Amino acid sequence: MTTADWPQADIDHMRAALAEAELAASEGEVPVGAVVVANGHVVASAHNCPIGSHDPSAHAEIVALRRACETQSNYRLSDATLYVTLEPCVMCTGAIAQSRIGRVIFGAYDEKAGALGSVVDLSDSKALNHRFEVNGGLLAAESRQLLQSFFRARR
């Protein structure tokens, strides 16, 4: 799917996730950003912060889900969409399933650790107690470029 095929709201929300990823990079964190949208409104946003927070679970998706649950006063986000710049890993996919997110849209595919199609696809796994819609590749080039630039600079 090309960018032109995506609804403008999805593009706008992914751009907000990219802005979060840029914040992560500026803090020396792997540049991944996430935004949670419910009823057309951003209810939470976050970026990777495991290094600064000394927390291996502080991936952008998990931090954004925690904040969204607080904002919504509910640990279930069944009517929400998670936008994330990189395909979620196994840990994050588990958190996504536990939150009952309705839809996940991600940017770049993660050929090393992606759990929504690249390495494994847990979105329809019988091992998880919740199914959710998944769409990948939105602004993938921008997401990938941000990651590549970050890692190139660190080498």
Side-chain angles (χ1 to χ4, degrees):
M1 222 160 59
T2 67
T3 302
D5 297 323
W6 291 85
Q8 188 60 49
D10 287 342
I11 295 167
D12 293 344
H13 295 311
M14 186 59 78
R15 289 205 188 286
L18 279 164
E20 284 287 336
E22 290 171 358
L23 284 173
S26 74
E27 296 172 6
E29 302 275 0
V30 175
V32 178
V35 171
V36 178
V37 175
N39 301 315
H41 301 284
V42 173
V43 295
S45 60
H47 55 274
N48 268 5
C49 59
I51 297 167
S53 66
H54 309 290
D55 179 357
S57 71
H59 287 197
E61 301 94 310
I62 292 178
V63 176
L65 290 171
R66 285 179 184 147
R67 290 177 180 169
C69 289
E70 287 176 18
T71 300
Q72 301 294 79
S73 298
N74 194 340
Y75 71 110
R76 301 287 192 230
L77 301 169
S78 57
D79 295 328
T81 299
L82 172 68
Y83 295 85
V84 61
T85 58
L86 181 65
E87 179 181 1
C89 68
V90 171
M91 175 181 69
C92 292
T93 300
I96 289 164
Q98 292 301 315
S99 74
R100 305 297 196 271
I101 276 280
R103 184 169 77 134
V104 175
I105 296 177
F106 65 86
Y109 286 84
D110 186 347
E111 301 299 328
K112 293 182 181 178
L116 293 180
S118 290
V119 177
V120 296
D121 187 356
L122 296 178
S123 66
D124 196 30
S125 173
K126 290 180 179 23
L128 297 177
N129 59 348
H130 174 67
R131 309 290 177 273
F132 48 91
E133 180 184 337
V134 175
N135 297 285
L138 176 57
L139 303 181
E142 292 91 331
S143 297
R144 189 171 35 260
Q145 179 60 41
L146 188 57
L147 287 158
Q148 289 172 341
S149 295
F150 175 81
F151 286 112
R152 193 174 313 124
R154 292 181 62 96
R155 290 188 194 127

mmCIF file of all heavy atoms in Angstrom, residues 9 13 35-45 68 71-72 79-83:
data_model
loop_
_atom_site.group_PDB
_atom_site.id
_atom_site.type_symbol
_atom_site.label_atom_id
_atom_site.label_comp_id
_atom_site.label_asym_id
_atom_site.label_seq_id
_atom_site.Cartn_x
_atom_site.Cartn_y
_atom_site.Cartn_z
ATOM 1 N N ALA A 9 -6.004 10.590 8.519
ATOM 2 C CA ALA A 9 -5.882 10.525 9.985
ATOM 3 C C ALA A 9 -4.793 9.535 10.387
ATOM 4 O O ALA A 9 -4.010 9.813 11.312
ATOM 5 C CB ALA A 9 -7.216 10.140 10.618
ATOM 6 N N HIS A 13 -1.402 10.540 12.508
ATOM 7 C CA HIS A 13 -1.055 9.893 13.775
ATOM 8 C C HIS A 13 0.317 9.219 13.691
ATOM 9 O O HIS A 13 1.080 9.237 14.664
ATOM 10 C CB HIS A 13 -2.130 8.905 14.199
ATOM 11 C CG HIS A 13 -3.439 9.557 14.512
ATOM 12 N ND1 HIS A 13 -3.564 10.656 15.337
ATOM 13 C CD2 HIS A 13 -4.696 9.269 14.096
ATOM 14 C CE1 HIS A 13 -4.834 11.018 15.421
ATOM 15 N NE2 HIS A 13 -5.533 10.187 14.672
ATOM 16 N N VAL A 35 1.899 6.183 19.494
ATOM 17 C CA VAL A 35 0.759 7.040 19.814
ATOM 18 C C VAL A 35 -0.467 6.142 19.935
ATOM 19 O O VAL A 35 -0.667 5.247 19.111
ATOM 20 C CB VAL A 35 0.542 8.096 18.701
ATOM 21 C CG1 VAL A 35 -0.748 8.857 18.900
ATOM 22 C CG2 VAL A 35 1.719 9.050 18.627
ATOM 23 N N VAL A 36 -1.281 6.380 20.952
ATOM 24 C CA VAL A 36 -2.547 5.664 21.119
ATOM 25 C C VAL A 36 -3.678 6.648 20.852
ATOM 26 O O VAL A 36 -3.705 7.742 21.424
ATOM 27 C CB VAL A 36 -2.698 5.052 22.522
ATOM 28 C CG1 VAL A 36 -4.051 4.353 22.663
ATOM 29 C CG2 VAL A 36 -1.547 4.074 22.806
ATOM 30 N N VAL A 37 -4.595 6.232 19.973
ATOM 31 C CA VAL A 37 -5.716 7.079 19.576
ATOM 32 C C VAL A 37 -7.020 6.365 19.919
ATOM 33 O O VAL A 37 -7.192 5.193 19.591
ATOM 34 C CB VAL A 37 -5.655 7.385 18.057
ATOM 35 C CG1 VAL A 37 -6.885 8.156 17.610
ATOM 36 C CG2 VAL A 37 -4.383 8.147 17.723
ATOM 37 N N ALA A 38 -7.911 7.086 20.591
ATOM 38 C CA ALA A 38 -9.250 6.567 20.908
ATOM 39 C C ALA A 38 -10.274 7.619 20.514
ATOM 40 O O ALA A 38 -10.091 8.810 20.796
ATOM 41 C CB ALA A 38 -9.364 6.239 22.395
ATOM 42 N N ASN A 39 -11.297 7.197 19.836
ATOM 43 C CA ASN A 39 -12.357 8.106 19.382
ATOM 44 C C ASN A 39 -11.802 9.296 18.599
ATOM 45 O O ASN A 39 -12.275 10.420 18.746
ATOM 46 C CB ASN A 39 -13.202 8.592 20.559
ATOM 47 C CG ASN A 39 -13.848 7.442 21.294
ATOM 48 O OD1 ASN A 39 -14.396 6.533 20.678
ATOM 49 N ND2 ASN A 39 -13.772 7.462 22.613
ATOM 50 N N GLY A 40 -10.776 9.041 17.811
ATOM 51 C CA GLY A 40 -10.202 10.073 16.959
ATOM 52 C C GLY A 40 -9.253 11.034 17.646
ATOM 53 O O GLY A 40 -8.746 11.958 17.022
ATOM 54 N N HIS A 41 -8.996 10.820 18.932
ATOM 55 C CA HIS A 41 -8.141 11.735 19.697
ATOM 56 C C HIS A 41 -6.934 10.998 20.259
ATOM 57 O O HIS A 41 -7.063 9.868 20.752
ATOM 58 C CB HIS A 41 -8.916 12.368 20.850
ATOM 59 C CG HIS A 41 -10.102 13.144 20.401
ATOM 60 N ND1 HIS A 41 -10.000 14.392 19.826
ATOM 61 C CD2 HIS A 41 -11.422 12.830 20.420
ATOM 62 C CE1 HIS A 41 -11.206 14.827 19.513
ATOM 63 N NE2 HIS A 41 -12.089 13.893 19.862
ATOM 64 N N VAL A 42 -5.788 11.644 20.239
ATOM 65 C CA VAL A 42 -4.592 11.074 20.860
ATOM 66 C C VAL A 42 -4.799 11.084 22.372
ATOM 67 O O VAL A 42 -5.048 12.127 22.962
ATOM 68 C CB VAL A 42 -3.334 11.884 20.482
ATOM 69 C CG1 VAL A 42 -2.120 11.382 21.263
ATOM 70 C CG2 VAL A 42 -3.070 11.811 18.979
ATOM 71 N N VAL A 43 -4.712 9.907 22.966
ATOM 72 C CA VAL A 43 -4.868 9.804 24.422
ATOM 73 C C VAL A 43 -3.537 9.549 25.115
ATOM 74 O O VAL A 43 -3.441 9.693 26.337
ATOM 75 C CB VAL A 43 -5.912 8.735 24.822
ATOM 76 C CG1 VAL A 43 -7.299 9.134 24.335
ATOM 77 C CG2 VAL A 43 -5.534 7.357 24.324
ATOM 78 N N ALA A 44 -2.517 9.169 24.329
ATOM 79 C CA ALA A 44 -1.185 8.964 24.903
ATOM 80 C C ALA A 44 -0.154 8.894 23.790
ATOM 81 O O ALA A 44 -0.462 8.475 22.675
ATOM 82 C CB ALA A 44 -1.146 7.682 25.718
ATOM 83 N N SER A 45 1.044 9.303 24.139
ATOM 84 C CA SER A 45 2.168 9.148 23.220
ATOM 85 C C SER A 45 3.411 8.883 24.048
ATOM 86 O O SER A 45 3.473 9.235 25.233
ATOM 87 C CB SER A 45 2.338 10.391 22.342
ATOM 88 O OG SER A 45 2.567 11.525 23.135
ATOM 89 N N ALA A 68 -2.013 5.502 28.156
ATOM 90 C CA ALA A 68 -3.386 5.496 27.632
ATOM 91 C C ALA A 68 -4.351 4.878 28.638
ATOM 92 O O ALA A 68 -5.458 5.388 28.838
ATOM 93 C CB ALA A 68 -3.443 4.735 26.304
ATOM 94 N N THR A 71 -4.981 7.442 31.280
ATOM 95 C CA THR A 71 -5.837 8.511 30.748
ATOM 96 C C THR A 71 -7.288 8.057 30.632
ATOM 97 O O THR A 71 -8.208 8.812 30.953
ATOM 98 C CB THR A 71 -5.336 8.963 29.357
ATOM 99 O OG1 THR A 71 -4.001 9.435 29.497
ATOM 100 C CG2 THR A 71 -6.196 10.048 28.772
ATOM 101 N N GLN A 72 -7.470 6.824 30.203
ATOM 102 C CA GLN A 72 -8.814 6.281 29.988
ATOM 103 C C GLN A 72 -9.408 5.673 31.263
ATOM 104 O O GLN A 72 -10.552 5.240 31.258
ATOM 105 C CB GLN A 72 -8.790 5.227 28.880
ATOM 106 C CG GLN A 72 -8.278 5.743 27.541
ATOM 107 C CD GLN A 72 -9.206 6.769 26.937
ATOM 108 O OE1 GLN A 72 -9.228 7.927 27.309
ATOM 109 N NE2 GLN A 72 -9.979 6.342 25.988
ATOM 110 N N ASP A 79 -11.334 -0.016 21.887
ATOM 111 C CA ASP A 79 -11.727 0.869 20.788
ATOM 112 C C ASP A 79 -10.580 1.755 20.320
ATOM 113 O O ASP A 79 -10.796 2.697 19.574
ATOM 114 C CB ASP A 79 -12.909 1.745 21.206
ATOM 115 C CG ASP A 79 -14.160 0.924 21.461
ATOM 116 O OD1 ASP A 79 -14.329 -0.115 20.786
ATOM 117 O OD2 ASP A 79 -14.949 1.302 22.339
ATOM 118 N N ALA A 80 -9.374 1.446 20.754
ATOM 119 C CA ALA A 80 -8.224 2.304 20.443
ATOM 120 C C ALA A 80 -7.348 1.705 19.351
ATOM 121 O O ALA A 80 -7.397 0.506 19.075
ATOM 122 C CB ALA A 80 -7.394 2.529 21.700
ATOM 123 N N THR A 81 -6.543 2.579 18.754
ATOM 124 C CA THR A 81 -5.547 2.187 17.761
ATOM 125 C C THR A 81 -4.179 2.599 18.269
ATOM 126 O O THR A 81 -4.005 3.714 18.768
ATOM 127 C CB THR A 81 -5.817 2.869 16.406
ATOM 128 O OG1 THR A 81 -7.101 2.456 15.921
ATOM 129 C CG2 THR A 81 -4.759 2.505 15.375
ATOM 130 N N LEU A 82 -3.217 1.700 18.146
ATOM 131 C CA LEU A 82 -1.831 1.986 18.480
ATOM 132 C C LEU A 82 -1.064 2.208 17.194
ATOM 133 O O LEU A 82 -1.079 1.353 16.300
ATOM 134 C CB LEU A 82 -1.213 0.814 19.253
ATOM 135 C CG LEU A 82 0.291 0.881 19.500
ATOM 136 C CD1 LEU A 82 0.639 2.016 20.463
ATOM 137 C CD2 LEU A 82 0.802 -0.453 20.038
ATOM 138 N N TYR A 83 -0.413 3.351 17.093
ATOM 139 C CA TYR A 83 0.470 3.665 15.967
ATOM 140 C C TYR A 83 1.886 3.580 16.497
ATOM 141 O O TYR A 83 2.209 4.197 17.519
ATOM 142 C CB TYR A 83 0.217 5.083 15.451
ATOM 143 C CG TYR A 83 -1.159 5.266 14.855
ATOM 144 C CD1 TYR A 83 -2.246 5.566 15.664
ATOM 145 C CD2 TYR A 83 -1.363 5.127 13.487
ATOM 146 C CE1 TYR A 83 -3.515 5.722 15.128
ATOM 147 C CE2 TYR A 83 -2.635 5.285 12.943
ATOM 148 C CZ TYR A 83 -3.697 5.583 13.773
ATOM 149 O OH TYR A 83 -4.953 5.740 13.236
#
